[in-house]
């Protein structure tokens, strides 16, 4: 089976989805990433994303260079749809359509339209942090164990931010990477999503690898 | 493949059949263990003994092990500690992996009570899915999880028809109404391009994988 994850913000997939994507890769599914490029993406950041995708074990990264972040356009949707038709995913993971992150809502809505024929569409939370049991409300919650992978991937962005600051170079994402306490993010035991639609009876996609992974209260208490 | 233990909770006889009967049949077909809790034997309509017999027959069609509580309906106009405790003990005894229960966006106060009480009674159950009852669920019900039931529509309809005492004057129990909603959910959920495709829709309350 094929899983496609979509983003336009550096480090966002690593922060919000890499644990879940790693789970799917371990189960034998193919994972592809689609990155809509905007001015925040320097050549170095693009290279970090490609490197991290290789660490993850993703099949490939598609970089969309001509995405129009001004509005949801026919061209935006068509370019995403062509990729979806080529990859034919069973799951598409997109930013939350209600996110406050700058350009993400346009990408999210475009990706949702492009995924019209995809059976399972879920949305990641860009600013997700599990504080209480209530944060699990109405959410898909994936227990993850690939925290080291996330930490190593996020460390790459932190290293980049430190280098560019030391070199006195402008970096749009610098403040974000400083604020991103990558160890804290990487150590979270779960990743949460909101379902647009999922097919419940597909055990290949929506079942645990094994029993005994603990109750949700245990997950919260373990932080 | 991992076997699930699922529990469906309904307020009145025929709620589970209408709301998630198809999903329970899918679970049974996959080898999962299916349980049902029936909270009451109905309100003012029908003889309780007849309704219990009908409920047992319907559960048998769904392949569910049923526990009939026969809780007094008049005590379910709002959630109570007593009722939540009753549910909690049963849930802890069954230890389900997944619960199907009413959506609290419902005009019927008993459905709301059962929904909210179940959610309170099941803090450690990893998955809770909310089903619709076409007769009373409000338009705030927005399904975001679906089960295809095309192959199981006939036994689902049979499980509803097992409630023979209700079939005469409850239009929403008729096969064409059940099929119509199921077809809408199939198309809405983008499950495929089969014009005769059928599905049940659920709202995710909690879904931990």
């Amino acid at each position: 089976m094929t899983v496609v994850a979509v983003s336009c913000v550096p480090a966002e997939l690593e922060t919000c989805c890499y644990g879940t994507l790693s789970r799917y890769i371990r189960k034998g599914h193919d994972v592809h990433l689609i990155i809509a490029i905007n001015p925040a993406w320097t050549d170095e950041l693009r290279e970090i994303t490609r490197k991290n995708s290789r660490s993850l074990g993703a099949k490939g990264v598609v970089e969309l260079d001509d995405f129009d972040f001004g509005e949801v356009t026919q061209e935006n949707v068509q370019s995403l749809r062509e990729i979806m038709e080529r990859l034919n995913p069973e799951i598409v993971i997109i930013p939350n359509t209600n996110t406050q992150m700058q350009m993400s809502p346009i990408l999210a809505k475009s990706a949702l339209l492009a995924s019209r024929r995809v059976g399972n569409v879920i949305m990641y939370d860009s600013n997700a942090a599990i504080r209480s049991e209530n944060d699990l409300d109405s959410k898909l919650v994936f227990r993850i164990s690939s925290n080291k992978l996330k930490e190593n991937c996020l460390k790459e962005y932190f290293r980049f931010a430190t280098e560019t600051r030391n070199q006195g170079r402008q970096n749009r994402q610098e403040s974000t990477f400083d604020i991103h306490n990558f160890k804290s993010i990487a150590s979270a035991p779960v990743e949460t999503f909101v379902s647009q639609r999922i097919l419940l009876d597909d055990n290949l996609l929506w079942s645990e690898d094994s029993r005994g992974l603990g109750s949700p209260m245990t997950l919260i208490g373990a932080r | 493949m991992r076997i699930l233990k699922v529990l469906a909770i309904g307020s009145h006889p025929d709620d589970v059949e209408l709301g998630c009967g198809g999903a329970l049949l899918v679970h049974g077909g996959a080898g999962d263990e299916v349980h049902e809790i029936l909270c009451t034997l109905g309100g003012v309509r029908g003889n309780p003994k007849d309704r219990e017999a009908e409920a047992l027959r319907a559960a048998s069609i769904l392949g569910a092990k049923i526990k009939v509580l026969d809780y007094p309906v008049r005590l379910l106009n709002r959630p109570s500690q007593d009722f939540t405790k009753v549910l909690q003990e049963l849930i802890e005894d069954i230890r389900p992996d997944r619960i199907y229960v009413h959506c609290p966006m419902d005009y019927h106060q008993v459905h709301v009570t059962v929904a909210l009480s179940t959610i309170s009674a099941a803090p450690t159950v990893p998955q809770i899915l909310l089903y619709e009852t076409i007769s009373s669920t409000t338009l705030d019900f927005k399904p975001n999880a679906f089960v295809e039931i095309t192959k199981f529509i006939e036994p689902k309809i049979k499980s509803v028809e097992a409630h023979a005492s209700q079939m005469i004057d409850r239009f929403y129990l008729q096969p064409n109404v059940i099929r119509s909603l199921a077809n809408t959910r199939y198309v809405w959920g983008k499950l495929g391009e089969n014009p005769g495709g059928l599905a049940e829709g659920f709202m995710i309350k909690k879904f931990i994988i």
Side-chain angles (χ1 to χ4, degrees):
Chain A
M1 295 203 168
T2 300
V3 180
V4 168
V6 182
S7 177
C8 59
V9 178
E12 190 171 68
L13 288 181
E14 289 89 339
T15 304
C16 304
C17 308
Y18 256 42
T20 302
L21 295 176
S22 177
R23 252 182 78 154
Y24 277 124
I25 290 172
R26 282 203 311 276
K27 287 175 89 167
H29 301 316
D30 290 339
V31 168
H32 296 259
L33 310 181
I34 299 177
I35 308 292
I37 302 297
N38 57 65
W41 288 87
T42 62
D43 288 340
E44 293 99 330
L45 285 171
R46 289 168 83 145
E47 188 47 45
I48 290 172
T49 299
R50 291 178 202 130
K51 184 181 172 191
N52 285 344
S53 76
R54 289 191 293 271
S55 301
L56 171 68
K59 282 279 178 181
V61 180
V62 178
E63 295 174 18
L64 279 179
D65 283 293
D66 299 324
F67 197 83
D68 180 354
F69 285 95
E71 55 186 319
V72 178
T73 64
Q74 186 71 22
E75 289 75 20
N76 279 351
V77 174
Q78 187 57 30
S79 58
L80 285 166
R81 185 176 290 146
E82 281 167 9
I83 301 169
M84 300 290 183
E85 283 172 1
R86 179 165 53 81
L87 297 174
N88 196 22
E90 277 75 19
I91 307 176
V92 171
I93 304 177
I94 65 174
N96 196 311
T97 50
N98 293 325
T99 183
Q100 300 301 311
M101 298 287 280
Q102 278 175 313
M103 287 168 272
S104 293
I106 301 292
L107 175 64
K109 288 167 188 168
S110 303
L112 189 56
L113 287 169
S115 306
R116 203 163 60 91
R117 285 185 169 19
V118 177
N120 301 277
V121 179
I122 63 177
M123 307 189 291
Y124 55 81
D125 284 327
S126 304
N127 293 309
I130 304 297
R131 293 173 202 88
S132 72
E133 181 75 6
N134 288 337
D135 290 339
L136 303 179
D137 207 41
S138 307
K139 297 271 173 68
L140 279 172
V141 180
F142 283 81
R143 298 177 176 117
I144 60 169
S145 58
S146 45
N147 303 99
K148 203 65 191 162
L149 168 72
K150 283 183 79 159
E151 186 179 326
N152 290 339
C153 289
L154 288 171
K155 213 183 278 186
E156 292 293 321
Y157 291 100
F158 184 74
R159 180 190 54 74
F160 165 73
T162 307
E163 277 174 12
T164 53
R165 192 171 55 245
N166 290 346
Q167 291 167 11
R169 281 162 54 193
Q170 285 261 317
N171 174 10
R172 281 180 197 241
Q173 296 293 326
E174 184 182 317
S175 58
T176 306
F177 296 146
D178 282 344
I179 291 167
H180 269 175
N181 182 339
F182 63 89
K183 284 193 176 165
S184 169
I185 292 166
S187 66
V190 298
E191 286 171 348
T192 62
F193 302 81
V194 173
S195 167
Q196 268 286 332
R197 57 179 180 272
I198 62 170
L199 304 181
L200 283 170
D201 46 343
D202 197 333
N203 272 325
L204 288 173
L205 296 175
W206 306 115
S207 66
E208 291 175 28
D209 300 317
S210 62
R211 280 181 187 264
L213 292 181
S215 71
M217 294 307 289
T218 305
L219 288 171
I220 300 296
R223 278 181 305 115
Chain B
M1 193 73 67
R2 183 169 168 269
I3 300 297
L4 283 182
K5 199 185 283 189
V6 303
L7 168 62
I9 301 178
S11 302
H12 310 98
D14 75 31
D15 285 336
V16 162
E17 287 79 19
L18 277 174
C20 59
L24 297 187
L25 287 160
V26 170
H27 280 294
D32 294 336
E33 199 177 305
V34 179
H35 297 261
E36 182 184 340
I37 294 174
L38 175 58
C39 297
T40 77
L41 288 173
V44 294
R45 294 196 200 200
N47 179 311
K49 276 197 165 36
D50 290 340
R51 298 218 66 187
E52 184 170 4
E54 290 170 352
L56 294 176
R57 203 171 308 130
S60 163
I61 293 170
L62 295 181
K65 291 177 202 162
I66 185 171
K67 168 78 179 167
V68 179
L69 290 185
D70 195 13
Y71 204 88
V73 173
R74 69 184 187 286
L75 297 181
L76 293 180
N77 59 341
R78 63 174 71 89
S80 69
Q81 220 169 0
D82 284 345
F83 180 63
T84 301
K85 193 158 179 293
V86 166
L87 283 181
Q88 190 164 8
E89 284 169 2
L90 285 169
I91 289 168
E92 283 172 3
D93 194 44
I94 295 170
R95 297 186 66 197
D97 301 296
R98 182 184 295 177
I99 290 179
Y100 294 92
V101 71
H102 295 278
C103 172
M105 284 85 128
D106 200 292
Y107 293 116
H108 201 311
Q109 73 274 20
V110 175
H111 293 181
V112 176
T113 297
V114 169
L116 296 177
S117 303
T118 298
I119 291 164
S120 295
T124 60
V125 176
Q127 298 174 1
I128 299 178
L129 295 164
L130 311 176
Y131 61 75
E132 59 185 325
T133 324
I134 189 175
S135 55
S136 57
T137 299
T138 73
L139 293 175
D140 294 316
F141 178 79
K142 292 185 174 58
N144 57 3
F146 299 85
V147 176
E148 183 173 354
I149 64 166
T150 310
K151 292 181 194 159
F152 295 99
I153 191 64
E154 293 306 329
K156 171 172 171 147
I157 289 173
K158 280 194 170 36
S159 73
V160 173
E161 289 176 339
H163 299 278
S165 64
Q166 308 300 301
M167 292 295 293
I168 299 165
D169 58 354
R170 307 268 176 128
F171 74 96
Y172 52 82
L173 299 180
Q174 300 306 315
N176 62 315
V177 176
I178 295 170
R179 282 180 197 277
S180 173
L181 175 62
N183 186 238
T184 300
R185 291 301 178 218
Y186 176 92
V187 175
W188 197 334
K190 313 259 185 287
L191 272 70
E193 295 179 354
N194 172 7
L198 303 164
E200 284 170 350
F202 302 92
M203 278 184 75
I204 292 172
K205 176 63 184 169
K206 185 168 56 166
F207 202 85
I208 299 175
I209 307 165

